[in-house]
């Protein structure tokens, strides 16, 4: 059985076995969920977003916080945003497929602390003010397949004071494939540590360093 949200919720929701909403959960195109954290999942849940998630908490808001990994699909009509991190996977491996818009107002678009996979479809956008996709240190490798646009919005004049700004920042290694329709645009487009591979058939644009 699939839980579905079709209306507006302004206090955030929880996906939790035995209470709150159950997995898989669908936010329909008319569904709007907001709160300090719009959606919290306490286990490896599955979420499909056709509507809008917004986390707002004085710069610390989260659109979707998955505490034990899981899977998120953001459809072409979907938007996941926050004033902090739009999507955060912690605790276990996370998987995200994006065909819509992630992070237009966020500081960080997507953050992984235990490894994961991102697929960004043609025409889709993953954005962050300072980092669009972050694989955190000690958290495992992250795989990125980009056919859309991955970008940061920090102006060049401010980038000198933000040493961690990057379109994609893999602090524990991983792999990046930028397809022929893909664009990665940022002050520094890609930062990758550890065992990392990069294959580019598209566009990598940077004020400072491409890779």
């Amino acid at each position: 059985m699939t839980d579905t949200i079709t209306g507006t919720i302004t206090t955030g929701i929880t996906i939790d076995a035995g209470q709150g909403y159950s997995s898989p959960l669908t936010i329909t195109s008319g569904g709007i969920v907001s709160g300090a954290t719009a959606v919290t999942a306490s286990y490896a849940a599955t979420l499909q977003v056709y509507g809008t998630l917004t986390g707002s908490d004085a710069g610390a808001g989260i659109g979707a916080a998955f505490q034990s990994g899981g899977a998120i699909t953001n459809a072409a009509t979907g938007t996941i945003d926050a004033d902090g991190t739009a999507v955060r996977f912690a605790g276990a491996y996370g998987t995200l497929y994006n065909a819509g818009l992630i992070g237009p107002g966020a500081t960080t678009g997507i953050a992984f602390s235990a490894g994961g996979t991102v697929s960004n479809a043609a025409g889709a956008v993953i954005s962050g003010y300072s980092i669009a996709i972050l694989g955190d240190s000690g958290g495992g490798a992250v795989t990125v397949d980009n056919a859309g646009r991955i970008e940061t919005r920090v102006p060049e004049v401010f980038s000198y004071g933000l040493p961690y700004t990057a379109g994609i920042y893999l602090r524990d290694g991983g792999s990046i494939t930028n397809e022929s329709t893909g664009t990665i645009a940022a002050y520094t487009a890609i930062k990758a540590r550890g065992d990392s591979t990069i294959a580019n058939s598209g566009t990598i644009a940077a004020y400072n360093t491409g890779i």
Side-chain angles (χ1 to χ4, degrees), residues 141-155:
V142 172
T143 299
V144 179
D145 188 348
N146 178 50
R149 182 175 179 85
I150 295 172
E151 65 178 18
T152 59
R153 306 182 309 279
V154 58

Side-chain angles (χ1 to χ4, degrees), residues 113-171:
S113 66
T117 299
V118 178
S119 297
N120 195 42
V125 177
I126 298 173
S127 181
Y129 183 77
S130 56
I131 298 175
I133 298 173
L134 172 66
D136 215 350
S137 179
V142 172
T143 299
V144 179
D145 188 348
N146 178 50
R149 182 175 179 85
I150 295 172
E151 65 178 18
T152 59
R153 306 182 309 279
V154 58
E156 180 182 5
V157 67
F158 297 132
S159 296
Y160 301 104
L162 294 172
Y164 299 117
T165 184
I168 301 172
Y169 191 5
L170 304 185
R171 302 183 70 184

Side-chain angles (χ1 to χ4, degrees), residues 5 9-15 21 25 27 32-42 47 52-67 72 80-89:
I5 295 175
I9 298 173
T10 60
T11 54
I13 63 103
T14 299
I15 306 173
Y21 290 85
L25 173 65
I27 313 296
I32 300 172
V33 181
S34 62
T37 299
V39 176
T40 301
S42 63
L47 173 66
T52 302
L53 305 182
T54 305
S56 180
D57 187 22
I62 303 173
F66 277 42
Q67 298 170 349
I72 297 173
I80 305 176
D81 200 12
D83 60 10
T85 301
V87 177
R88 177 180 293 167
F89 288 102

